[in-house]
Amino acid sequence: MSPALLASGVLLAPLAAAAVIAFGLRRAPGAATAVALLAAVLVAVGSLVLALGPARDFTASVELLRLGTFGLSLGLKFDDLAALLLAIVGIVGLCVHVFSVGYMREDPDRARYFGGLAIFMFSMLGIVFADSLLMLFIFWELVGFSSWLLINHHFQRTPAAEASKKAFIVNRVGDFGFLLGLVWCQAQFGTTQLDALAKAVDGGAVVAAGLPLLLFCGAVGKSAQLPLHVWLPDAMEGPTPVSALIHAATMVAAGIYLLCRIHFLMVPAALEVILWTGTITALYAALCAVTQRDIKKVLAYSTLSQLGYMVAAFGLGSLKVAHGDHHHLIAAGVGAAMFHLTTHAFFKALLFLGAGSVIHACHHEQDIFKMGGLARRLPVTFTTFTIGVLSLIGMPGLAGFFSKDAILYLAWAKHPGVFAVLALTAVLTAFYMVRLWRITFLGAARGEGAEHAHEGGPALTGPLILLAVLSVIGGYGWFYSGLLGGRFDGVIDSVVHPAGADHTLILLTSVAVLVAGALGAWLLYPAAGEDAVARRAPRLFGLLGGLQASFDRAYGAYVAKVQQRLAMLLNFLEQIFLAGLIVRGLAGVVGLLGLGARALHVGNANAYAYWFLLGLLALWAFAAGLLSF
Amino acid sequence: MGELTFNLLAWFTLLSAAGVVINRNAVNAALCLLLCLTGVAGLFVVLEAYLLAFVLLLVYAGAVVALFLFIVMLLDTSGAPRALPRRLPLIARVLAGGLIASGVLSFSARAKLPVSEAVAAAPGIGGALKPYAYQLFTTYLLPVQILGFLLLAAMIGVIVLSKKFEGLEDVK
Amino acid sequence: MIPATLDGHLLVSGALFALGLLGVLLRRNTLVVFMCLELVLVASTVALVAFSRYNGILDGNVFVFFILTVAAAEVAVGLAIIVALFRRRQTVQVDELNSLRN
């Protein structure tokens, strides 16, 4: 089977599953589950075969539309970057599907849920395989739609419905910038094919800073950077496996993927903006996470923060590395961002699924202050969750440590200010994660659900174990070059590891921030029923808590005061001019013409004779040369 | 001589045509038409188309005008009330009259048509019957035949139109 | 004084045509309108014969023959229609024959 055919199969299998579920199996949840699971297995197997196989850089495309010189075609672009993300999507997707089988067992609407998952897989794979910005945009929108569908799963609950709308609308705002960038790209280069664009830029085309920044707007929306981050915490209204798949591992990573795909379009000014956006997001989200009560919200803000890390890494750009006596320019930003994306996918999915297991065990209790004592009762979940937490906060030896180190080194080499901020964020990360871990799992059981908690079946624990393993080994060099046969070297080789004195410095920094944060949390937060900081420093707590709501308030005020008024004004104008003058006016003119024409049919033969005379005059004028056609 | 005759006949024709237009009584109008046609026949004679003059008198003046007179007298239109002319038609009439008058006057305003003197001076060829008939039955044979059909159709049409359709009730 | 040239004949023809047209427009009795139509046709015959004479060809004359025939047929049928109409509507005034109005 040719690689292109296999890739198409991988892309279309979830679509087929979604179609089957949508058209036939809505009332048969068991069958729907089976179909979706089958598709997920096929995707996982296919993507691993493709990603770990030798085939690279094959292209296949099908042209859908041609308007003059503009052609819309869907095609495949498969290089190491795509292979890496494909593998991630396949593995994490499979884990989430298996987990969902157990998690959603009592949900009567799970057919719709699995259909949504299938559509999401299709859309995400479309983004992975996209060979042109236009195709990427199409699947981008599809992913947004799938996200809406899945967040909206419990649509009978108003918060869920509102959250899904918010997610979609905020994404749309980002996509507007993306679309503008797309149009600009097409106008300037005449194409949006990635290969053609790379060639054009290599050939010396000048790219204004606006173009990559507009395309970055899409990433700002999708990857929830400031100021379009407001949808991600609310998106936790969706079922937990959805949060794991979409809002931790894959969809939000699509923004980073987009950036890496267009890295050749970047100019220093744009990179500066991207860098600071990412950094500020990372810090802001970490600050917000400190005060959260909901286990999923903590993880959501953690995702925001880590995404900020990835974006900041990308914004740091390339690095000149000395090899012997000459210098190499390595796209270190791309490498570091993708590396962190990979490890983050593993441990964040693990954390979310672990949270799902906890929530499921505690009978859908999500407040961490009502949990506790789960270490004994949920051993597998506890172990894997701990591994996830340690990986996230950068415990040396685990995957997250290596990827975070790469980012910190890059920041140190290029922009010490950013390095300081990121280091501070790392402290906060360790702080709130240990807080979460301690309050959730340790101490005595504080709530009804926590007391009767017991481990879910193998469907819930199996994926946790797999992801835990990956979170441990996913950072080592030998994992990529040895175990996986160096298949992703195109990306992994771009990751620059610190050497010599820098190595020691970064190592020390990582350990220091880790210890500071963890110790601080351990000391401050006993495994008690209420937030210690809230009790001791209420004003600080209030300030931090208010950070989160500030953006929502600002947006709300803007919509109510500015946008509504503008909309009413436009409505008024439209009523007068468009509906009134133009539409009814035109109809009126036509009506008048009709009336006039009707008046001619008088039935009076005499009148007809006059018309005859008129025609005669016209003929005479024509013959005399006065009138000419 | 030719010019005087022509003028007499021309003015006679035009005056009787005016009579047709102006006369209130339909019978008077029909008789004015007769006079007009006589004048036109005279014009044909001046133009040396003798056969046509005769044909005109026979067919037109003899048959058509007679038919007109029959119908006029059949339809008793004497009781038609003399309605006052409405405003608009009056304006329309004035306008129409002005337009037509200007059209006629433009005839004299334009350039003269080229006429070769030699041909004009030569005697007219419309008088002899033989070449006329020859043309009619060779070059113009098709129109003659078609006209035959036309007359047939007209005859049938007239018969159908003038039938009184009684007893249509049983033809359902 | 109209000169007895081609243009003179054409002037007569034109004037006859104009008078006939005026009659069509102005008269309200359908029968008189018809008569004025005949005037129009006769005007065209005069023009044809004049052209034929002054160009030395016979085709104009022959065409007049056809015109006469057609005019006769037209009058016959037209009058039959008017008679049928009169039987129905008891009037031949043009402005009263307006049942197709609106």
Side-chain angles (χ1 to χ4, degrees):
Chain A
M1 166 175 290
S2 81
L5 202 60
L6 181 59
S8 314
V10 165
L11 178 62
L12 294 173
L15 181 64
V20 166
I21 294 177
F23 292 128
L25 300 174
R26 291 244 212 108
R27 304 285 162 80
T33 313
V35 168
L37 197 55
L38 178 65
V41 168
L42 285 174
V43 165
V45 168
S47 51
L48 282 176
V49 167
L50 265 179
L52 299 179
R56 288 285 183 272
D57 290 323
F58 58 84
T59 47
S61 76
V62 73
E63 184 162 282
L64 288 183
L65 182 66
R66 175 150 283 276
L67 299 168
T69 49
F70 171 72
L72 170 63
S73 59
L74 299 180
L76 301 171
K77 180 178 157 74
F78 199 69
D79 55 357
D80 282 349
L81 189 64
L84 183 58
L85 194 59
L86 179 65
I88 295 173
V89 170
I91 296 176
V92 177
L94 181 62
C95 289
V96 167
H97 272 83
V98 172
F99 189 88
S100 303
V101 172
Y103 188 81
M104 305 289 283
R105 200 176 301 137
E106 297 108 27
D107 190 330
D109 289 325
R110 54 189 190 280
R112 181 160 46 91
Y113 171 83
F114 278 106
L117 272 187
I119 277 279
F120 172 77
M121 291 299 283
F122 167 66
S123 323
M124 191 65 212
L125 289 168
I127 291 185
V128 170
F129 283 127
D131 72 338
S132 72
L133 286 177
L134 193 55
M135 177 176 170
L136 202 140
F137 185 72
I138 295 173
F139 283 100
W140 193 267
E141 296 296 328
L142 272 174
V143 161
F145 162 71
S146 325
S147 166
W148 171 84
L149 191 64
L150 287 166
I151 299 175
N152 210 8
H153 179 72
H154 302 292
F155 59 85
Q156 300 91 350
R157 294 183 54 234
T158 321
E162 302 263 309
S164 65
K165 266 191 297 188
K166 186 174 182 179
F168 194 74
I169 292 176
V170 173
N171 263 308
R172 215 61 190 95
V173 174
D175 292 346
F176 180 61
F178 190 175
L179 193 59
L180 285 179
L182 202 62
V183 171
W184 182 340
C185 196
Q186 174 77 22
Q188 182 174 349
F189 294 103
T191 172
T192 54
Q193 296 282 341
L194 290 166
D195 290 330
L197 284 175
K199 224 178 285 186
V201 173
D202 265 343
V206 170
V207 181
L211 175 57
L213 278 179
L214 279 174
L215 293 171
F216 175 58
C217 282
V220 168
K222 195 67 78 183
S223 295
Q225 301 299 299
L226 245 65
L228 294 177
H229 65 286
V230 291
W231 64 273
L232 190 52
D234 287 9
M236 297 299 121
E237 298 287 340
T240 312
V242 166
S243 306
L245 181 62
I246 299 186
H247 306 126
T250 43
M251 186 179 98
V252 293
I256 314 294
Y257 183 70
L258 169 69
L259 284 177
C260 295
R261 271 282 189 238
I262 58 170
H263 76 273
F264 47 82
L265 283 175
M266 290 296 156
V267 292
L271 283 176
E272 191 81 14
V273 173
I274 296 177
L275 171 64
W276 283 107
T277 310
T279 317
I280 297 176
T281 307
L283 183 60
Y284 170 83
L287 284 172
C288 287
V290 173
T291 56
Q292 296 302 318
R293 296 180 72 104
D294 186 335
I295 186 173
K296 288 178 69 175
K297 286 266 186 354
V298 176
L299 291 174
Y301 281 106
S302 165
T303 307
L304 269 180
S305 186
Q306 298 304 307
L307 286 170
Y309 263 93
M310 291 181 223
V311 171
F314 181 80
L316 285 166
S318 339
L319 198 58
K320 257 210 187 69
V321 170
H323 266 218
D325 50 349
H326 59 262
H327 293 253
H328 262 310
L329 194 67
I330 300 189
V334 172
M338 284 307 293
F339 189 26
H340 198 59
L341 192 153
T342 313
T343 58
H344 176 264
F346 295 142
F347 58 67
K348 198 41 77 62
L350 169 62
L351 284 170
F352 264 107
L353 290 182
S357 176
V358 165
I359 293 172
H360 184 82
C362 296
H363 295 285
H364 296 282
E365 174 62 65
Q366 292 186 229
D367 188 346
I368 57 176
F369 291 109
K370 299 211 174 62
M371 299 177 188
L374 296 173
R376 291 184 293 285
R377 295 185 175 80
L378 307 172
V380 178
T381 307
F382 175 64
T383 322
T384 52
F385 199 89
T386 313
I387 294 178
V389 168
L390 289 175
S391 195
L392 172 56
I393 64 181
M395 170 75 82
L398 299 180
F401 167 72
F402 292 106
S403 58
K404 206 179 244 185
D405 247 22
I407 299 180
L408 285 174
Y409 172 61
L410 195 55
W412 171 251
K414 294 211 69 174
H415 206 305
V418 169
F419 172 75
V421 176
L422 288 180
L424 176 62
T425 313
V427 173
L428 287 169
T429 308
F431 186 76
Y432 65 71
M433 283 312 290
V434 171
R435 166 183 178 263
L436 175 70
W437 176 73
R438 184 157 194 207
I439 298 179
T440 311
F441 285 98
L442 302 184
R446 288 186 294 276
E448 270 274 338
E451 289 200 13
H452 305 288
H454 57 272
E455 203 70 81
L460 267 65
T461 49
L464 291 176
I465 297 175
L466 174 63
L467 287 171
V469 169
L470 283 171
S471 300
V472 172
I473 63 173
Y476 288 103
W478 55 259
F479 177 62
Y480 291 102
S481 44
L483 203 66
L484 299 179
R487 291 277 169 247
F488 305 119
D489 279 346
V491 178
I492 301 299
D493 281 349
S494 299
V495 180
V496 179
H497 294 286
D502 287 332
H503 177 76
T504 324
L505 175 67
I506 299 298
L507 180 60
L508 282 176
T509 315
S510 311
V511 174
V513 301
L514 166 70
V515 168
L519 216 55
W522 187 269
L523 291 174
L524 270 177
Y525 291 99
E530 50 170 42
D531 199 317
V533 174
R535 199 164 28 91
R536 289 204 208 150
R539 205 157 323 147
L540 179 64
F541 189 79
L543 202 67
L544 287 174
L547 259 183
Q548 165 208 3
S550 58
F551 270 91
D552 280 326
R553 259 205 306 270
Y555 285 140
Y558 163 75
V559 169
K561 298 257 164 44
V562 177
Q563 188 165 300
Q564 266 314 90
R565 291 195 183 147
L566 185 64
M568 311 263 291
L569 175 67
L570 286 176
N571 184 38
F572 175 70
L573 285 176
E574 191 233 353
Q575 286 292 16
I576 291 194
F577 287 112
L578 292 181
L581 204 61
I582 296 183
V583 172
R584 295 209 196 102
L586 274 178
V589 166
V590 171
L592 274 176
L593 280 175
L595 265 176
R598 201 167 61 142
L600 291 175
H601 289 265
V602 286
N604 187 354
N606 220 349
Y608 295 151
Y610 279 104
W611 282 105
F612 184 75
L613 175 65
L614 208 67
L616 192 67
L617 277 174
L619 271 176
W620 171 54
F622 181 60
L626 293 175
L627 197 67
S628 59
F629 294 113
Chain B
M1 195 285 273
E3 178 131 351
L4 183 64
T5 324
F6 169 69
N7 266 292
L8 272 172
L9 286 165
W11 282 110
F12 176 68
T13 310
L14 287 174
L15 283 170
S16 11
V20 173
V21 174
I22 291 175
N23 243 313
R24 217 153 270 300
N25 192 342
V27 179
N28 285 0
L31 289 171
C32 281
L33 182 66
L34 192 63
L35 286 175
C36 178
L37 287 170
T38 320
V40 170
L43 280 175
F44 280 179
V45 169
V46 166
L47 284 167
E48 296 169 32
Y50 308 111
L51 176 64
L52 275 181
F54 270 112
V55 170
L56 191 79
L57 281 176
L58 273 175
V59 171
Y60 239 114
V64 170
V65 175
L67 190 58
F68 261 115
L69 275 168
F70 284 157
I71 302 298
V72 164
M73 300 212 210
L74 180 67
L75 311 177
D76 175 28
T77 57
S78 57
R82 254 185 75 172
L84 289 159
R86 294 183 304 261
R87 277 285 149 226
L88 189 55
L90 187 62
I91 296 173
R93 289 170 196 188
V94 169
L95 214 64
L99 279 170
I100 292 170
S102 62
V104 172
L105 285 172
S106 74
F107 264 83
S108 24
R110 61 159 173 73
K112 304 288 174 241
L113 283 173
V115 171
S116 79
E117 290 300 331
V119 176
I125 52 172
L129 182 58
K130 197 157 170 200
Y132 195 89
Y134 187 78
Q135 280 283 347
L136 207 57
F137 282 98
T138 53
T139 318
Y140 293 99
L141 184 57
L142 182 61
V144 168
Q145 301 300 321
I146 294 177
L147 274 180
F149 278 113
L150 178 73
L151 286 171
L152 179 65
M155 202 157 44
I156 296 175
V158 168
I159 292 173
V160 165
L161 277 170
S162 47
K163 237 172 134 55
K164 277 197 191 152
F165 281 94
E166 294 148 11
L168 261 178
E169 284 73 42
D170 38 334
V171 185
K172 280 289 194 297
Chain C
M1 242 337 127
I2 312 174
T5 56
L6 177 59
D7 297 300
H9 287 281
L10 290 181
L11 187 67
V12 169
S13 160
L16 266 177
F17 180 89
L19 282 168
L21 198 57
L22 262 176
V24 167
L25 289 175
L26 299 182
R27 294 302 301 254
R28 291 197 293 146
N29 190 337
T30 317
L31 286 165
V32 180
V33 166
F34 233 119
M35 286 184 226
C36 299
L37 271 176
E38 297 309 311
L39 272 183
V40 169
L41 278 169
V42 160
S44 72
T45 58
V46 170
L48 270 168
V49 172
F51 273 119
S52 162
R53 161 74 177 91
Y54 281 95
N55 285 325
I57 58 177
L58 207 50
D59 299 58
N61 288 7
V62 177
F63 206 70
V64 169
F65 191 80
F66 298 139
I67 291 182
L68 286 178
T69 318
V70 168
E74 167 219 336
V75 163
V77 175
L79 287 176
I81 292 177
I82 290 180
V83 167
L85 203 56
F86 180 79
R87 284 203 203 126
R88 274 300 220 134
R89 303 296 304 282
Q90 310 306 320
T91 175
V92 286
Q93 299 297 322
V94 164
D95 30 357
E96 287 175 32
L97 296 170
N98 57 1
S99 56
L100 275 180
R101 160 173 244 138
N102 287 345

